[in-house]
Amino acid sequence: VIVMALLLTSSSAPGGQNARHLLTSVDQNIDIGDWQITARDAGIASQVPWSVRKQRLHGGRQDGVDLVHIDNGRLTLTLVPTRGMGVLRVVMGDLRLGWDSPVREVVHPKYVNLTARGGLGWLEGFNEWLARCGLEWAGHPGRDMFVNNLGEQAEMDLTLHGKIANIPASEVEVIIDRDPRPRIRVRGRVDERAFYGPKLELWTEVSTEPGSSTFRIEDTLANRGAFDQEFQVLYHA
């Protein structure tokens, strides 16, 4: 049995960071490319071999997509920072959390036109086990009323399930906690921002302990704008 806990909070990320490895950073203009760390590299005694590996895909519509594989020695989670930090799949032995989508590649967002087919373009990239929908909206295509920068009523088109699953993460880091017990954490920040629009910041963290059959997903959503902002989050799993 695989156990997953999902938390959506408004608090800051947990502290106690012991070893931090920055994989991607817009703020610092960093992209380390393919990368790996193991228990031996981290200098942590472990009864099971574990690792975290960053991989860049090539060819077709997946060209340039980054994956992060967390192998805790018992189960493996595959994250997609390029697609809003979605979870592509979770595997433990012959058990898989995932599905056989007609979309075979892990499609880069630059090849997804969300407005295509009457607002159903989101479906052209969907093959993750867990994809977040939102953040400004999360539902079906349609028209919505909003107040524009002049304070007037206006209309805009809404596409299926919003934009967050097709926004690459701006910051991605791996954190290895040593105390009080070893824990592997991968954190990413995804921004949904627009001039005269939402200024929403999502920090998501996926973590697990070496040798465990459980993992945890913890999301922190913040409004970085000067005004109130409505939001919706749907965990499509």
Side-chain angles (χ1 to χ4, degrees):
V1 175
I2 294 176
V3 179
M4 183 270 283
L6 174 63
L7 306 172
L8 178 64
T9 73
S10 59
S11 61
S12 60
Q17 300 178 4
N18 296 86
R20 178 173 175 264
H21 305 273
L22 193 60
L23 307 187
T24 303
S25 175
V26 167
D27 296 340
Q28 300 184 44
N29 194 31
I30 291 174
D31 174 13
I32 66 170
D34 291 351
W35 173 89
Q36 179 173 279
I37 188 172
T38 66
R40 176 175 294 181
D41 297 330
I44 297 177
S46 176
Q47 295 182 346
V48 296
W50 58 263
S51 66
V52 182
R53 179 169 62 95
K54 179 175 179 281
Q55 173 192 18
R56 181 153 296 163
L57 302 180
H58 302 282
R61 295 198 302 158
Q62 68 181 14
D63 197 69
V65 169
D66 286 338
L67 302 182
V68 175
H69 307 277
I70 308 172
D71 181 354
N72 76 358
R74 189 174 184 185
L75 63 79
T76 301
L77 302 102
T78 300
L79 316 181
V80 194
T82 311
R83 292 182 52 80
M85 294 296 295
V87 183
L88 183 62
R89 58 181 170 264
V90 184
V91 177
M92 187 174 71
D94 59 0
L95 176 63
R96 174 180 67 122
L97 301 183
W99 68 295
D100 297 325
S101 170
V103 180
R104 308 306 300 172
E105 301 172 322
V106 186
V107 180
H108 197 290
K110 66 185 177 183
Y111 297 113
V112 177
N113 178 5
L114 295 176
T115 64
R117 298 166 61 213
L120 296 175
W122 187 89
L123 296 172
E124 296 180 4
F126 177 42
N127 63 2
E128 301 96 331
W129 167 67
L130 186 148
R132 293 172 185 80
C133 306
L135 297 170
E136 189 177 11
W137 70 88
H140 287 194
R143 302 281 292 174
D144 192 25
M145 301 295 297
F146 73 104
V147 178
N148 65 20
N149 59 297
L150 300 177
E152 300 171 345
Q153 288 285 329
E155 284 190 344
M156 64 177 175
D157 292 321
L158 304 182
T159 58
L160 179 65
H161 291 332
K163 300 178 180 179
I164 196 67
N166 286 281
I167 300 177
S170 297
E171 305 286 321
V172 182
E173 60 184 0
V174 175
I175 301 167
I176 309 299
D177 290 337
R178 301 174 185 272
D179 299 316
R181 56 196 302 174
R183 189 168 194 88
I184 307 162
R185 300 194 277 141
V186 176
R187 300 181 69 232
R189 192 192 86 214
V190 188
D191 298 321
E192 186 172 327
R193 287 176 171 265
F195 191 58
Y196 292 136
K199 297 160 186 65
L200 296 169
E201 176 186 278
L202 174 70
W203 272 103
T204 178
E205 176 179 296
V206 179
S207 66
T208 185
E209 295 182 1
S212 174
S213 62
T214 70
F215 62 94
R216 183 172 67 210
I217 298 174
E218 184 170 356
D219 287 357
T220 301
L221 179 61
N223 174 23
R224 298 303 184 191
F227 304 100
D228 291 344
Q229 172 67 49
E230 63 182 12
F231 71 91
Q232 299 176 355
V233 181
L234 170 68
Y235 292 88
H236 203 311

